[in-house]
Amino acid sequence: MNAQTEHILASQSRPLDRARALLAEMTLAEKIGQMSQVEATHGYAPDYLGDRLRAGQVGSAINNVDVDIVNELQRIAVEESRLGIPLLIGRDVIHGFKTIMPIPLGQAATWNADLVREGARVAALEASKCGVNWTFAPMIDISRDPRWGRIAESLGECVLLTSELGAAMVEGFQGEDLADDGSIAACAKHFAGYGAVESGRDYATTNIPDTKLRNVYFRPFNAAVDAGVSTLMTSFSDLNGVPASGNSYILKDVLRDEWGFEGFVVSDWDSVRQLQIHGLTENDKQSAYEAANAGVDMEMAGDAYSNHLLTLVEEGLVDEETIDKAVLSILTTKFALGLFEKPYTDPASLPEYGNDRALAAARDTALQSVVLLKNDDAALPLRQADLSSIAVIGPLADAGYEQLGTWIFDGDEELSVTPLQALQELVGEDIDLRYVRAMENSRSRANPEFELAAQTASECDAVLMFLGEESILSGEAHSRADIGLPGDQVELVRRVRAAGKPVIAVILAGRPLTLSNVVDEVDAILYAWHPGTMGGPAIADLLFGRESPSGKLPATFPRVVGQIPIYYSQKNGGKPPSKENTVHIDDIDTFAPQTSLGMSAFHLDTCFTPLFPFGHGLSYTQFEYANIRVSAERIRLGDTVMISAELSNRGDVEADEVVQLYTRDLVASITRPVKELKGYRRVRLVPGETQTVSFDIHTDDLSFYGRDGKRRVEAGLFHVWIGGSSDAAQRTEFRIAE
Ligand code: BGC
């Protein structure tokens, strides 16, 4: 490190003051260098990046996780550049590094912020072993379209759940102090509205009215900012005609001016230059102008900034003050990470990959993420003593890579324990497991093993089918228009079903699938998402009742694609559907078609309800809700009301239940959703036990953004429900008095 930088470290202690002092030493070219992130993956990066590093032209390198190379890049930056500024080393550590947690959508199904925080902590510890100090997570785009491949990376459809679990991820990655070993900077992405891409096509356009942006899509980002997230990433998508990477309304007016965000904003991959492809700009120079003036502080993997910002400043088109603000927040992050004091990584100082803590986090999270969608006649759990043989059928029973899911650049397949391996371990010699893969992969057609699968099913006492999607069918740029089970899986289910044995489906997938055509063909369904490294043991424990399923859906399961978007917090509309005012296409009276038609918002050819609602998830015990109460029927603005209900375990199994509280603001100056999740709690009850579960709701929790874009709480009547899903039946009400 050079003398000036050493002096700054010695004379200032706060990251911001240090950054200010360093900024004052920098040339314009060096400042612009900090605003560039470069890819460092081709060949030996120090060879082709060395000169740029020495000249101070690079602020961050992305995608190199070879610790020796990373240390060498840091060495050149720190020891051979004029000011010795270390690099941010970025990597997508989305749901684990070597040890892989369930996909984020699966993590959201735990409704357990502690587990989500721990998963991110473990990921940060593993990633920092390679010198990574910045991850591009959490992804907190509200996702209400399961066709969109990136729903897998999201925390689902709900504002509260996404906000709270996203904040927990930020805390996990960043730790108590960013400067601690094993803490890395987080990046909340993709700001904003990416989840609303038309028809779920990745990168497509979005049109979101301001009230919806503010009440839905912005809120998790606001929560991440409140949780201290270091950085934000812009979305690839066009938002109401202005692509996010050139959108000063979201990046300046909202993020900086309203929320007071002090970290920095990075573009998405080359999304600055893509402003031209969107049709917003004519060339890279204009793209750099738009992005810099809109508030994008660092350009990811593009060269619009490095090629044009200097000229733009010289021409007076971008103020040096804009550059200074960007660089100040980038440098502040570097100081906060302690990179100036400790630019190099000693892998030996950090825990081993796949250690006990990491595997326990992966297993516990997988265990709580699996959702029991249906369980006819208590088909599950399997009773070991009653079974001598089980047919294990399907392409995902023993696919250690596929169970990891999308975005696992560094995931170690060798650590995976598959369901087949875990089942074998659990049953030992007691039960004969007869495995038939039946399909090469989840998309296969014309499968010669179907006959063998049906035959094996007929010879066994029960059948476990491991179905779903391979990891490549979800994630970025992997959207689907038909989200049923791919390939010939439905045919496989029918053939196996015909053997007449109990059939349990375990579905591994990166999104909610439409299951209408198989739901009645099987006795039970465990929905396991892509459960990660320890998915196998978690699934085996659940199948054999060593633990009761307790996951709850973080996203609505449509019956058919045509219902999308379908989500629990929809608006009522003027003609809401009900059983009485809907009719099915097959029941239309041919002789009096007009009289038989309903008069409400529904589709003629499917039911108006989803197949499985948000929050749904069964258990091996029976939970019963009763006696919902409010502490006061009238409260004033600024008050807190306590809402409670009794939850009883009426079955004979000890189990967790995720208790959910929903409200509805009946009359407001803008229409409000029919239900909004306002609280949830995971509780554990032994058989016969009753617990009173209560939630404190402050009137601020009932606020929304009005027509004027301002946050407000309005007096009036609120309905409130407590239950085990968004279909909760226990309801009461309270009023906020004028
Ligand atoms: C994705 C981002 C990701 C980035 C870096 C982009 O294509 O949209 O989410 O962080 O690549 O890999």
Side-chain angles (χ1 to χ4, degrees):
M1 195 186 311
N2 78 357
Q4 274 141 314
T5 318
E6 255 174 40
H7 171 72
I8 289 168
L9 278 183
S11 58
Q12 305 286 347
S13 59
R14 287 176 54 216
L16 182 62
D17 297 331
R18 288 175 165 181
R20 275 204 191 101
L22 183 54
L23 186 70
E25 304 289 330
M26 294 171 79
T27 64
L28 179 59
E30 284 167 337
K31 291 176 188 172
I32 291 168
Q34 288 302 307
M35 297 170 73
S36 299
Q37 182 185 60
V38 298
E39 201 183 348
T41 42
H42 312 302
Y44 185 62
D47 283 348
Y48 61 87
L49 287 178
D51 288 346
R52 291 187 65 188
L53 295 174
R54 285 180 199 97
Q57 291 172 355
V58 177
S60 170
I62 181 169
N63 283 349
N64 200 312
V65 289
D66 179 323
V67 71
D68 295 331
I69 297 179
V70 167
N71 277 338
E72 178 57 9
L73 293 173
Q74 293 286 27
R75 193 195 62 74
I76 300 173
V78 168
E79 292 178 21
E80 298 184 15
S81 75
R82 190 177 77 88
L83 291 169
I85 304 176
L87 296 164
L88 287 167
I89 303 293
R91 183 66 159 174
D92 291 284
V93 183
I94 306 298
H95 54 113
F97 189 68
K98 297 284 180 200
T99 311
I100 300 296
M101 308 296 141
I103 53 170
L105 191 60
Q107 292 186 43
T110 68
W111 298 51
N112 187 334
D114 292 338
L115 282 180
V116 170
R117 190 181 299 105
E118 172 69 359
R121 188 77 213 126
V122 162
L125 284 161
E126 289 194 344
S128 11
K129 224 172 146 65
C130 290
V132 171
N133 50 38
W134 182 22
T135 179
F136 306 111
M139 192 274 227
I140 47 176
D141 297 310
I142 294 293
S143 303
R144 295 178 172 175
D145 193 330
R147 292 172 297 186
W148 190 41
R150 301 197 81 165
I151 194 172
E153 286 174 62
S154 83
L155 296 163
E157 73 179 46
C158 174
V159 172
L160 183 78
L161 198 59
T162 300
S163 301
E164 295 198 346
L165 300 184
M169 270 194 194
V170 170
E171 291 159 9
F173 287 126
Q174 299 195 164
E176 303 245 305
D177 187 336
L178 269 181
D180 289 346
D181 275 358
S183 288
I184 62 179
C187 180
K189 69 188 190 186
H190 307 84
F191 197 54
Y194 192 13
V197 283
E198 285 178 346
S199 84
R201 269 176 304 125
D202 209 359
Y203 315 130
T205 201
T206 71
N207 290 289
I208 313 174
D210 197 56
T211 47
K212 196 165 189 178
L213 270 178
R214 288 179 174 279
N215 286 312
V216 179
Y217 292 93
F218 282 170
R219 285 184 96 148
F221 288 92
N222 199 344
V225 169
D226 289 346
V229 72
S230 298
T231 68
L232 251 74
M233 185 188 294
T234 57
S235 165
F236 278 130
S237 46
D238 180 325
L239 176 63
N240 301 330
V242 185
S245 300
N247 195 316
S248 64
Y249 167 62
I250 60 171
L251 299 178
K252 279 189 165 164
D253 303 354
V254 175
L255 181 62
R256 299 283 180 192
D257 298 347
E258 288 184 31
W259 301 351
F261 178 61
E262 287 176 353
F264 73 88
V265 174
V266 64
S267 76
D268 203 341
W269 191 277
D270 209 16
S271 69
V272 173
R273 292 184 337 121
Q274 286 164 15
L275 292 175
Q276 183 188 347
I277 306 175
H278 278 282
L280 190 80
T281 63
E282 269 185 22
N283 49 40
D284 286 357
K285 183 176 175 189
Q286 208 186 342
S287 297
Y289 164 85
E290 291 289 348
N293 282 323
V296 175
D297 303 310
M298 183 184 282
E299 182 185 14
M300 177 187 284
D303 54 13
Y305 277 14
S306 52
N307 287 340
H308 301 289
L309 268 186
L310 195 76
T311 320
L312 286 165
V313 176
E314 283 166 2
E315 290 172 353
L317 293 169
V318 173
D319 290 340
E320 189 155 354
E321 198 193 329
T322 300
I323 305 288
D324 283 354
K325 275 190 190 159
V327 178
L328 189 68
S329 48
I330 294 167
L331 293 178
T332 305
T333 306
K334 292 186 175 185
F335 279 111
L337 280 162
L339 291 179
F340 286 84
E341 292 94 330
K342 223 180 149 208
Y344 305 119
T345 301
D346 170 13
S349 69
L350 287 151
E352 287 304 311
Y353 295 129
N355 59 38
D356 289 351
R357 174 182 176 183
L359 295 180
R363 184 174 181 146
D364 292 348
T365 311
L367 195 75
Q368 294 192 14
S369 74
V370 176
V371 183
L372 180 61
L373 292 179
K374 70 169 262 179
N375 193 18
D376 288 353
D377 302 324
L380 285 175
L382 300 171
R383 278 156 282 268
Q384 201 160 346
D386 300 349
L387 299 165
S388 59
S389 60
I390 300 179
V392 178
I393 295 173
L396 296 172
D398 195 28
Y401 176 79
E402 305 305 341
Q403 73 187 44
L404 300 181
T406 185
W407 282 114
I408 46 126
F409 285 156
D410 306 290
D412 184 354
E413 185 188 341
E414 297 294 306
L415 290 173
S416 285
V417 184
T418 69
L420 184 66
Q421 290 166 341
L423 284 165
Q424 196 62 71
E425 167 87 27
L426 192 146
V427 303
E429 301 291 306
D430 296 350
I431 299 177
D432 183 17
L433 294 181
R434 295 183 52 193
Y435 170 52
V436 184
R437 185 178 174 115
M439 298 171 73
E440 194 189 335
N441 58 47
S442 68
R443 296 160 289 140
S444 306
R445 298 195 183 276
N447 298 282
E449 279 198 0
F450 278 17
E451 204 47 58
L452 176 65
Q455 177 67 30
T456 307
S458 72
E459 291 163 9
C460 290
D461 299 331
V463 187
L464 293 175
M465 298 193 75
F466 288 86
L467 307 168
E469 296 180 311
E470 304 148 70
S471 64
I472 194 66
L473 296 187
S474 58
E476 184 174 347
H478 288 81
S479 296
R480 296 179 60 203
D482 173 355
I483 53 170
L485 285 169
D488 282 341
Q489 292 186 61
V490 176
E491 174 61 18
L492 177 63
V493 172
R494 292 197 178 122
R495 299 277 286 276
V496 167
R497 179 69 174 172
K501 299 298 168 67
V503 179
I504 314 298
V506 180
I507 299 181
L508 285 73
R511 56 164 61 78
L513 295 171
T514 49
L515 300 172
S516 298
N517 52 1
V518 287
V519 70
D520 295 329
E521 304 280 339
V522 298
D523 298 283
I525 303 178
L526 273 182
Y527 211 83
W529 318 100
H530 285 132
T533 302
M534 294 300 278
I539 290 168
D541 281 355
L542 293 169
L543 286 170
F544 279 93
R546 294 196 166 174
E547 185 53 62
S548 173
S550 60
K552 298 278 187 175
L553 295 180
T556 303
F557 273 46
R559 293 170 193 273
V560 294
V561 162
Q563 288 183 304
I564 299 169
I566 182 166
Y567 50 95
Y568 83 93
S569 60
Q570 62 199 6
K571 300 285 187 76
N572 213 32
K575 293 174 186 270
S578 68
K579 267 196 190 128
E580 293 68 42
N581 64 14
T582 52
V583 64
H584 192 267
I585 196 164
D586 296 337
D587 301 327
I588 296 174
D589 185 340
T590 320
F591 301 103
Q594 294 310 326
T595 54
S596 68
L597 287 182
M599 290 285 280
S600 65
F602 74 105
H603 296 107
L604 277 173
D605 42 9
T606 187
C607 186
F608 63 91
T609 57
L611 188 60
F612 298 109
F614 174 85
H616 170 75
L618 304 173
S619 161
Y620 293 155
T621 197
Q622 284 79 49
F623 286 112
E624 192 181 284
Y625 288 85
N627 293 331
I628 184 166
R629 284 197 200 108
V630 284
S631 59
E633 279 163 20
R634 289 176 83 81
I635 57 169
R636 300 207 159 270
L637 281 178
D639 285 354
T640 296
V641 60
M642 192 177 83
I643 301 136
S644 60
E646 280 163 22
L647 173 68
S648 303
N649 182 343
R650 298 282 183 226
D652 50 14
V653 173
E654 178 176 347
D656 279 10
E657 166 74 335
V658 178
V659 181
Q660 302 161 40
L661 178 136
Y662 296 87
T663 59
R664 176 173 179 195
D665 183 348
L666 270 92
V667 180
S669 56
I670 61 163
T671 55
R672 306 292 302 128
V674 290
K675 267 181 192 161
E676 287 181 285
L677 183 75
K678 292 292 175 190
Y680 54 90
R681 184 154 326 126
R682 186 175 264 273
V683 293
R684 190 166 187 85
L685 270 71
V686 297
E689 184 181 354
T690 296
Q691 276 185 29
T692 300
V693 183
S694 58
F695 298 88
D696 286 335
I697 300 294
H698 187 274
T699 53
D700 283 354
D701 299 329
L702 304 166
S703 68
F704 62 90
Y705 289 83
R707 299 180 203 188
D708 56 0
K710 301 252 157 50
R711 195 163 175 168
R712 62 209 297 125
V713 190
E714 291 178 358
L717 187 63
F718 289 78
H719 282 170
V720 53
W721 295 259
I722 291 183
S725 84
S726 59
D727 269 355
Q730 284 279 317
R731 192 189 94 191
T732 182
E733 59 190 46
F734 62 90
R735 182 174 284 280
I736 300 183
E738 292 287 344

